[in-house]
């Protein structure tokens, strides 16, 4: 999926889920790195379940401020 959510567990009795703007590419089993700028670097993965002939080769940087 290309969907992103932030789950806030800071108050365990009132967990909050916030939907964010979608990424450009749907992917699963990807690698995600939190950069020092606060952005996410997302690379790899596949667009369908366990079929790497549909590998997602395009990395992307997700910026919480502009998305």
């Amino acid at each position: 999926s290309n969907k992103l959510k932030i789950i806030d567990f800071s108050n365990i009795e009132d967990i909050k889920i916030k939907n964010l703007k979608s990424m450009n590419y749907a992917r699963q089993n990807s690698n995600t790195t939190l950069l020092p700028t606060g952005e996410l670097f997302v690379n790899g993965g596949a667009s369908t379940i366990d079929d790497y002939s549909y590998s997602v080769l395009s990395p992307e940087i997700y910026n919480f401020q502009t998305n």
Side-chain angles (χ1 to χ4, degrees), residues 1-5 19-28 30 42 46-47 56 60 62 67:
S1 172
N2 63 344
K3 307 280 187 235
L4 286 170
K5 297 176 186 285
N19 293 309
L20 302 176
K21 184 177 175 189
S22 298
M23 294 187 301
N24 294 319
Y25 304 100
R27 60 179 89 214
Q28 60 183 4
S30 61
V42 186
S47 60
V56 180
E60 61 184 298
Y62 187 88
N67 288 338

Side-chain angles (χ1 to χ4, degrees), residues 22-41:
S22 298
M23 294 187 301
N24 294 319
Y25 304 100
R27 60 179 89 214
Q28 60 183 4
N29 299 325
S30 61
N31 295 303
T32 304
T33 304
L34 179 60
L35 301 174
T37 59
E39 298 168 306
L40 297 177
F41 175 72

Side-chain angles (χ1 to χ4, degrees), residues 25-28 44-58:
Y25 304 100
R27 60 179 89 214
Q28 60 183 4
S47 60
T48 62
I49 297 174
D50 297 326
D51 187 347
Y52 289 100
S53 62
Y54 294 98
S55 294
V56 180
L57 303 176
S58 300

